[in-house]
Amino acid sequence: MRSRRLYSDILPCFSRKQHRESFEVFLDLLLDGSGKPLPAGATVKSPSAISRFLNHAAWNTRQLCRVMRQHALETLQDRWRTQPHQRPRLELLVDLTSLGKTGKFAELADWVHTFNSVHGVHLVVLYLCCGELRLPWAFQVWRGKGSPSPAQLALKLLRTVPAALLAGKRRPRLHADGGFESVEFIRGVLSRGLDIVVGVRCTRKLEDGRQVRDLMVRGTLVKPSGLNQTMCVSWVWLYRNKEPEQRFVMSNLDLGGKYLARVGKRRWRIEAFFKTVKGRFGLERFAQHSKQGVMRWWCLSGMAFLLCHLQNLDLPVNLRETWPDWGDLARTVRFSFVPEVRRRALQLELDALNAFQQALPASST
């Protein structure tokens, strides 16, 4: 099973016994599925031991990331080998997600900023999708004004994708929202041999002086101002509030108005990932005050998601859902990989219960 192989390859990242034990306890917290893997909830290990494991212990975080990325790469390549004549298109999704934080984090001062009215840490994430595969690949921290923009960080993330994944007859396609519509970003994506489908502001100026919102026909071919590239523009209507909201999307591909509008919605899959990794695996619940501790928290949170996703892929086809029950998957992985942590936690609770019962006066029993 792919999830078992990933877990087995992760364990050597923790060469010392106490580090491996702390890892297993923290993984047990992550796989609780409640989205609140706080060290205070650990019973087998003390909260201070979990905090030391995250902030100070000498284990190799980069090695952990390399192992996860290698398994994501092998999973993609295995899928392509089994479907040589119907190879699904690789789609690269980039977006920025905000992890709201209150309080003082002295060591994270250059990471904590306000963006889109959210005060906290802001991550630019690269997420790979191919058929039913959903693979978190890499992320960068946005460090505020005066530092590289989210679009520049996204281009940096693209350089981590191996050339082997970008080769083939079906050109990979990158999806992004309107925050990544800069000329620099579009040129950078196209120069890497990728097609692009990106959101665009309604006020974006065109070469002929009009704005995007002035277009009357979906699928119109235009040249945005400053970009020497013909782009196809379409739009969709969102009915989330009382008033419908018009969202525009453009691509270097002439896909036609209706089809481009449908393809543009594929970007929203990364929003489902953010919702899952935050709500189930505690991505934004980090309470560490060191950059190393926070970085490790994020990596381990993504690892928990990847373990559960690979577990879902190993299920028979007729048992898979379009978007699985992540709580059930987390419970399955938890009982499969860290059962001893569960047993020890339950035994401690039983011992405490027995001690309490024995301490009661005989008249009250």
Side-chain angles (χ1 to χ4, degrees):
M1 294 176 65
R2 282 168 285 199
S3 56
R4 172 64 65 180
R5 291 199 302 269
L6 173 59
Y7 182 73
S8 298
D9 288 346
I10 284 173
L11 289 180
C13 297
F14 312 101
S15 56
R16 301 182 64 177
K17 179 182 177 182
Q18 59 265 41
H19 296 167
R20 182 174 296 190
E21 290 176 350
S22 296
F23 162 71
E24 292 173 347
V25 172
F26 188 61
L27 179 60
D28 178 73
L29 292 174
L30 288 169
L31 294 174
D32 175 68
S34 65
K36 300 177 181 179
L38 301 179
T43 54
V44 177
K45 286 271 187 177
S46 67
S48 59
I50 301 299
S51 181
R52 286 194 301 271
F53 166 74
L54 292 170
N55 290 285
H56 307 294
W59 56 272
N60 196 328
T61 311
R62 290 182 180 273
Q63 182 185 355
L64 174 70
C65 295
R66 283 195 296 267
V67 169
M68 292 193 293
R69 195 174 291 177
Q70 182 62 33
H71 273 263
L73 176 62
E74 292 174 358
T75 302
L76 273 168
Q77 293 175 329
D78 288 344
R79 178 56 53 88
W80 286 340
R81 277 193 291 267
T82 59
Q83 298 177 325
H85 304 296
Q86 296 179 336
R87 175 173 168 172
R89 185 190 305 278
L90 175 64
E91 295 176 304
L92 301 93
L93 283 62
V94 295
D95 201 2
L96 182 142
T97 186
S98 298
L99 312 178
K101 279 295 163 187
T102 58
K104 296 181 179 180
F105 295 84
E107 292 191 36
L108 307 182
D110 59 332
W111 282 12
V112 178
H113 303 278
T114 300
F115 186 81
N116 289 340
S117 302
V118 178
H119 182 75
V121 182
H122 310 277
L123 303 181
V124 179
V125 179
L126 174 59
Y127 185 58
L128 306 185
C129 296
C130 186
E132 62 183 352
L133 299 182
R134 304 286 185 268
L135 305 171
W137 184 260
F139 65 87
Q140 286 281 332
V141 179
W142 179 66
R143 298 173 183 265
K145 294 181 179 179
S147 67
S149 67
Q152 291 170 328
L153 294 176
L155 290 176
K156 185 177 180 180
L157 292 176
L158 288 180
R159 292 195 287 271
T160 67
V161 181
L165 294 185
L166 305 181
K169 294 182 179 179
R170 302 194 71 181
R171 280 167 56 107
R173 187 177 292 163
L174 183 135
H175 296 257
D177 69 1
F180 298 85
E181 60 165 338
S182 68
V183 171
E184 177 189 6
F185 180 73
I186 295 174
R187 286 176 177 170
V189 171
L190 297 178
S191 68
R192 294 188 61 83
L194 303 174
D195 294 322
I196 188 170
V197 179
V198 61
V200 58
R201 291 173 289 111
C202 64
T203 57
R204 178 70 179 263
K205 290 185 178 181
L206 306 177
E207 195 176 59
D208 58 10
R210 294 181 296 170
Q211 294 183 345
V212 167
R213 62 185 172 191
D214 297 327
L215 300 177
M216 302 300 294
V217 179
R218 293 201 298 180
T220 301
L221 298 178
V222 298
K223 278 191 176 182
S225 178
L227 184 64
N228 189 25
Q229 170 72 42
T230 300
M231 305 291 284
C232 180
V233 179
S234 186
W235 56 83
V236 296
W237 289 95
L238 300 182
Y239 295 88
R240 297 185 299 184
N241 302 313
K242 293 182 179 180
E243 294 294 331
E245 183 179 354
Q246 190 178 26
R247 292 287 185 88
F248 291 88
V249 62
M250 67 180 180
S251 174
N252 65 305
L253 300 171
D254 184 5
L255 300 176
K258 291 184 178 180
Y259 185 60
L260 176 56
R262 188 161 70 247
V263 170
K265 295 179 182 179
R266 298 178 69 82
R267 185 200 69 79
W268 295 344
R269 289 171 297 173
I270 197 171
E271 301 292 351
F273 164 68
F274 290 152
K275 181 178 180 181
T276 300
V277 79
K278 290 178 182 179
R280 289 291 188 181
F281 304 114
L283 181 72
E284 63 181 350
R285 291 286 183 169
F286 67 90
Q288 310 308 304
H289 289 261
S290 73
K291 289 182 178 179
Q292 177 169 265
V294 173
M295 191 71 69
R296 286 174 167 178
W297 184 292
W298 292 335
C299 292
L300 292 170
S301 177
M303 180 208 64
F305 172 89
L306 185 57
L307 281 171
C308 292
H309 178 55
L310 295 180
Q311 177 73 27
N312 186 57
L313 293 176
D314 288 330
L315 295 175
V317 175
N318 60 335
L319 294 180
R320 300 178 196 167
E321 302 176 9
T322 304
W323 195 243
D325 187 325
W326 292 97
D328 285 347
L329 281 174
R331 181 175 181 271
T332 300
V333 174
R334 187 187 200 189
F335 288 177
S336 299
F337 298 156
V338 287
E340 287 304 317
V341 176
R342 288 284 81 226
R343 290 192 183 99
R344 289 160 59 194
L346 292 173
Q347 187 61 53
L348 288 173
E349 188 172 354
L350 285 174
D351 292 344
L353 177 61
N354 291 335
F356 179 80
Q357 291 291 323
Q358 293 172 3
L360 291 176
S363 59
S364 63
T365 58

